[in-house]
């Protein structure tokens, strides 16, 4: 697939799942639905709306099936859900999601803490879920995101060879895509360029999204570095919510509002209306009163005379 600077980017909003999983208070289902409605109204085309995990482990996601059903009322969007295992995948497919995402950590320590399986065991979980998907819902996409691809607070350094080998194994096991996640905010732009270049050389069109965290202030710089290497799908979270509860020190995702502004200011089309995106913060804040939200662009406003890419 040929990618030029004029190729539009896909902003994949992960706030309703990744953003909420690390928030202590539980957002009401009705508030989640209003938030999703506002994101769709802004032009967001892909939303990770929930994770299918035991409610005892993550009460915030106890309403996953209901939220998925609501999101499916909207046409023209991809409704995604995270699934850590076959049971979660069964429930997500039953709910009708368009895409499954799986967390496959390159760090053994993080993988054991997060899903209680080694990276190699998670590859076999990918295989089992791919077979399940093929049997009952062959149109559903499966993405295996490589967590802690740039380092881990539990393990420390993560070998780049291990990351690339793991991504290739996930594709061989039946995943449609495999992207790279900076779960704990360790990445720098040079590292991002190097690793995504290797990923694209290894798995080609199966190379997936860049999922960056802004823990150390390099989120946007790392997204731009990934874009330079041909990445055209980026995960982000409205208001910068998010972080992995099983990775100490992992703070928020890249702010969707700032990411969209950066690309639109560069003349790269996102299909998202910035003013409406800023307005989508209102239902988020109403549903999580007192929870801090972040973002430079919505605070400063759009520059005088600013026009979005068309």
């Amino acid at each position: 697939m040929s990618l030029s600077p004029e190729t539009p980017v896909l902003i994949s909003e992960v706030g309703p799942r990744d953003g909420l999983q690390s928030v202590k208070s539980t957002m009401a289902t009705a508030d989640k639905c209003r938030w999703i409605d506002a994101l769709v109204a802004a032009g967001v085309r892909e939303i990770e709306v929930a994770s299918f995990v035991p409610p005892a482990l993550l009460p915030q996601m106890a309403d996953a099936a209901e939220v998925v059903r609501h999101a499916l009322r909207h046409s023209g969007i991809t409704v995604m859900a995270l699934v850590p295992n076959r049971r979660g995948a069964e429930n997500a497919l039953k709910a009708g999601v368009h895409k499954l995402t799986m967390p496959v950590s390159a760090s053994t320590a993080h993988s054991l803490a997060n899903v209680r399986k080694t990276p190699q065991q998670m590859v076999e979980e990918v295989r089992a879920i791919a077979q399940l998907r093929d049997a009952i819902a062959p149109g559903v996409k499966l993405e295996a995101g490589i967590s802690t691809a740039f380092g881990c607070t539990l393990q420390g350094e993560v070998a780049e060879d291990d990351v690339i080998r793991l991504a290739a194994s996930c594709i061989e096991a039946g995943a449609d895509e495999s992207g790279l996640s900076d779960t704990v905010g360790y990445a720098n732009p040079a590292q991002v360029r190097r690793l995504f270049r290797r990923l694209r050389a290894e798995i080609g069109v199966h190379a997936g999204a860049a999922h960056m965290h802004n823990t150390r202030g390099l989120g946007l710089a790392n997204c731009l570095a990934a874009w330079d290497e041909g990445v055209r799908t980026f995960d982000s979270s409205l208001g910068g919510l998010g972080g992995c509860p099983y990775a100490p020190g992992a703070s928020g995702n890249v702010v969707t509002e700032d990411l969209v502004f950066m690309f639109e200011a560069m003349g790269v089309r996102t299909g998202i209306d910035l003013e409406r995106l800023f307005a989508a913060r209102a239902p988020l804040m109403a549903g999580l009163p007192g929870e801090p939200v972040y973002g430079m662009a919505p605070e400063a406003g759009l520059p005088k005379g600013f026009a979005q890419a068309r």
Side-chain angles (χ1 to χ4, degrees), residues 41 65 69 84 117-118 193 216 223 235 248 255 273 293 299 302 309:
R69 284 193 294 269
K117 290 183 175 70
T118 66
R193 288 191 181 93
R216 290 166 179 82
C223 286
D235 294 349
V255 177
D273 183 287
V293 293
E299 292 294 331
L302 298 178

Side-chain angles (χ1 to χ4, degrees), residues 103-120 122 145-159 162-163 166 181 183-184 186 246-248:
V104 183
S105 183
S107 159
T108 298
H110 178 261
S111 188
L112 291 171
N114 190 33
V115 293
R116 300 180 184 178
K117 290 183 175 70
T118 66
Q120 293 71 32
M122 282 302 293
I146 307 301
S147 307
T148 62
F150 300 91
C152 173
T153 49
L154 297 173
Q155 175 178 305
E157 183 179 354
V158 175
D162 291 347
V163 173
L166 187 60
S181 300
T183 311
V184 297
Y186 275 15
Y246 299 103

Side-chain angles (χ1 to χ4, degrees), residues 279-293:
R281 291 163 68 93
L284 165 59
M285 291 187 286
L288 291 175
E291 186 69 29
V293 293

Side-chain angles (χ1 to χ4, degrees), residues 160-245:
E160 293 186 1
D161 287 349
D162 291 347
V163 173
I164 301 304
R165 190 180 304 113
L166 187 60
S169 296
C170 288
I171 297 302
E172 184 277 329
D176 299 292
E177 303 171 18
S178 187
L180 302 180
S181 300
D182 184 23
T183 311
V184 297
Y186 275 15
N188 64 71
Q191 184 186 21
V192 169
R193 288 191 181 93
R194 185 171 63 247
L195 207 51
F196 268 107
R197 188 178 304 138
R198 290 191 59 182
L199 181 74
R200 289 171 60 79
E202 181 70 26
I203 63 175
V205 296
H206 299 289
H211 180 109
M212 299 296 166
H213 281 226
N214 200 42
T215 312
R216 290 166 179 82
L218 292 179
L220 286 181
N222 288 331
C223 286
L224 185 57
W227 185 81
D228 285 340
E229 290 300 324
V231 176
R232 293 297 182 266
T233 302
F234 299 86
D235 294 349
S236 59
S237 178
L238 198 79
L241 290 182
C244 178

